[in-house]
Amino acid sequence: MPPTVAVVGGGISGLAACYHLLRAPRPPKVLLLEASGRFGGWLQSTRTPEGAVFEHGPRGVRPAGAAGAQTLHMVSELGLAGDVLAVPGDHPASRNRFLYRGGTLHPLPSGLGGLLRAVPPFSRALFWSVLRDLLTPPGTEPDESAHAFAQRRFGPELTLPDSTVTADHVISAIPAAALARALAADAEPLARELGDIEAASVAVVNLEYRGVALPVTGFGHLVPSSEDPALLGIVYDSVAFPEHDGTPQGTPQGTPGTEGTPEGTPGTPKGTPGTPEGTPGTPSLRLTVMLGGSWFRQSFGEPSAAPPELLLSRARAAARDHLGLPGTPTRAILRVQQDCIPQYTLGHWQRLERIQRFLQDRALPLSLVGASYGGVSVNDCIASARVAVGRLLGTPPDAP
């Protein structure tokens, strides 16, 4: 009988682990365990009757580098290549990104010219800051905070309850803190290390407007915490993926009250109460406003109890003040994604070494994959699953 591998967590990391396990020359028996009623984890979408698509989590992958090539290889092997919406390298969504500072949108440097001259809001050319850092002797500390990193370069101007499953090996693809709560008492040192991997919550607000245009064209803009600690940035979804704007056949009324409870967000309304009807035949503009992060509790209180109307009003105000979008959006969808972005605080890499040493010393049949450990992007999550399965099987999965 082949060995049994239990994969805990049906997000992108767990699904990628199952994919690689089942592609082995002699695949094990694979059990995928997911606590919620859906697969995909943080990858969540809403499609409206008009065909508009709103993403409540990651909305794309970059095909660059080895990890990007592995993702595209997996997509091809799954027969999904025909469903890929490509954004060319010379597209405005690929080339143009902005920073909102001092009430103004500033284009971030792009290309060699942007590195060789001072581009507002930066006070000096980034090239010289990078060159100075390359010539600076390495520090004595093994790790460095993001704030210290930026300050050195740019100056101080500028985070199965009712049954038992037996398996020969477990691949955990759930967040580190969730795994820490599930471990037995004799693994307390491991649970403590896992519990120290913090994560930030983000309120994702999708807005749809009709008959309006953006003042700039690009992927979106970031907002530094010095400008507004409650606001992370705005993504201009319609620029990168106009195919998801839907058909311009008029806008339905917003959802009155609430439509159930989305995963992880008690009491969050799916639509904006009393949203007015749009003008029939006008094209839509889709944006995503992201709020909170490391400052979520400071700005909005506990993520599980944050007032939906407060989050929606802050998002609408950001679209109005930053982009000049007038009036009330024709549709608004809110998701509070609790503890969705792991925070690699000082000492993270040493913590990972201690975790791996504990697993090896105890010979525990446990592998850890996902965003909590070696990268938060979709590509990183898929790559971590591939590496873990390769180690488990003794041979790396087929290269792309």
Side-chain angles (χ1 to χ4, degrees), residues 146-308:
H147 179 269
F149 177 90
Q151 189 172 38
R152 283 199 298 108
R153 288 156 174 78
F154 311 126
E157 298 176 353
L158 297 170
T159 89
L160 294 170
D162 57 349
S163 61
T164 299
V165 172
T166 301
D168 300 288
H169 194 91
V170 174
I171 296 179
S172 173
I174 59 178
L179 177 59
R181 293 190 294 268
L183 290 174
D186 58 356
E188 190 276 334
L190 175 59
R192 185 173 62 251
E193 295 284 7
L194 292 169
D196 285 340
I197 299 177
E198 302 174 3
S201 300
V202 176
V204 180
V205 184
N206 306 109
L207 301 177
E208 182 182 39
Y209 293 84
R210 293 277 174 172
V212 298
L214 291 168
V216 295
T217 304
F219 180 81
H221 69 262
L222 298 171
V223 181
S225 59
S226 58
E227 188 77 23
D228 185 348
L231 181 60
L232 302 177
I234 303 180
V235 180
Y236 315 154
D237 297 301
S238 288
V239 176
F241 302 112
E243 302 91 340
H244 283 171
D245 285 346
T247 56
Q249 297 177 350
T251 305
Q253 286 186 316
T255 306
T258 61
E259 285 187 6
T261 302
E263 298 88 350
T265 314
T268 300
K270 287 189 175 180
T272 303
T275 301
E277 293 191 14
T279 303
T282 57
S284 69
L285 170 65
R286 295 174 301 110
L287 307 170
T288 300
V289 182
M290 300 189 183
L291 304 163
S294 296
W295 292 271
F296 196 106
R297 288 175 174 82
Q298 170 187 321
S299 303
F300 306 111
E302 284 300 315
S304 61

Side-chain angles (χ1 to χ4, degrees), residues 353-367:
E353 291 175 358
R354 293 193 297 270
I355 288 172
Q356 290 301 325
R357 193 157 50 244
F358 183 92
L359 296 177
Q360 293 168 5
D361 292 347
R362 302 290 183 92
L364 295 180
L366 174 64
S367 299

Side-chain angles (χ1 to χ4, degrees), residues 375-395:
V376 300
S377 73
V378 172
N379 285 337
D380 291 331
C381 291
I382 293 173
S384 72
R386 179 178 182 272
V387 169
V389 170
R391 288 174 178 166
L392 175 59
L393 300 180
T395 56

